[in-house]
Each structure stands twice: as C-alpha cells, then as structure tokens.
Amino acid sequence: MTTVKDMLATYPADLGSVDREKLSRCIEECIACAQACTACADACLSEGMVGDLAKCIRTDMDCADICNATASVLSRHTGYDANVTRAILQACATACKACADECGRHTGMEHCRICAEACRSCEQACGDLLQALG
C-alpha cells in the first residue's frame, strides 16, 4: 500500500463509485510529475544556454503548479464537486501534454527526457480517471 491508498482507505464516508485504483494512481502521478517538473526547471536554469530554455522553464513551472493543485483537489472528498474535479483533471492533462511536448524538443538533456516521461504518464492517469468518472 502507498500513503495515498492508505489515506483513501481511512476516509470515513463513502467515496461512491469512484475507481480507487485510478484515483490513487492519478494522485501519485500528479505528485511525481510536479517533482519532475520542478527539478527539470531547476536543471534548465543550470544549463549554459538558459535563455534558450525560457519556454521550457515556464512550462515546467506551470505544469508543476497545476499537478500540485490537482493532487490536492483529488485528495479532498468532503463536499465533492464533480465539475471542479473534471475541470482540473482536464487542465492537468493539458498542462502535462504541453510540458511533455516542450521537454521533448530538448532531446540532448536527460532531465528533459525524464520530465517528458513523467508528464506523459500523468497525462494518461488524468485521462484514465476522467474517463472513469464519466
């Protein structure tokens, strides 16, 4: 069990028909993606051609913020609003795709490759949860 799964298991009220596996995976992927994007932005700042990486840094930072917000929203269940959840999942998937595409342009930088992978995995997890929510 992960901490995310452990916390979901302790929630005292009924979570309804939500797929707990997809929910916990999405939260975990959002957290991992936020960390990868933060680290990638920092690594970009250490590159010699930092000026050429301004868009990548900005995209990394935006994606990290949106992933963190998404993980937070998905971790709260009291007073659940399906419309807010769907909107933030869609925003997260969009930010992750944009970041993965941008990092994918920097094939010579290992940190960008790793970040792009994390973003694509998070985008998929958001899409999977969105589909499960209906």
Side-chain angles (χ1 to χ4, degrees):
M1 285 283 256
T2 65
T3 302
V4 172
K5 288 180 183 174
D6 288 344
M7 290 305 294
L8 286 173
T10 66
Y11 188 68
D14 182 16
L15 287 176
S17 62
V18 67
D19 184 322
R20 286 179 185 239
E21 273 304 309
K22 288 182 181 174
L23 176 60
S24 63
R25 178 174 169 256
C26 192
I27 294 168
E28 289 167 354
E29 292 289 348
C30 285
I31 293 166
C33 189
Q35 189 280 325
C37 289
T38 299
C40 187
D42 184 65
C44 285
L45 288 169
S46 295
E47 295 287 350
M49 71 293 202
V50 69
D52 296 336
L53 297 171
K55 184 174 181 185
C56 189
I57 294 165
R58 168 61 191 263
T59 305
D60 281 336
M61 293 170 62
D62 288 348
C63 190
D65 287 345
I66 293 168
C67 285
N68 278 322
T70 303
S72 293
V73 168
L74 294 178
S75 295
R76 294 188 287 263
H77 308 287
T78 304
Y80 172 76
D81 185 326
N83 292 324
V84 171
T85 299
R86 283 187 194 92
I88 200 158
L89 282 168
Q90 186 59 57
C92 191
T94 299
C96 287
K97 180 181 182 339
C99 193
D101 290 348
E102 180 59 32
C103 281
R105 290 180 178 82
H106 309 125
T107 55
M109 295 180 205
E110 187 67 3
H111 54 86
C112 281
R113 183 193 64 75
I114 293 168
C115 185
E117 286 179 8
C119 288
R120 295 213 190 284
S121 185
C122 188
E123 177 188 11
Q124 181 66 53
C126 287
D128 290 348
L129 183 55
L130 260 171
Q131 189 174 35
L133 293 176

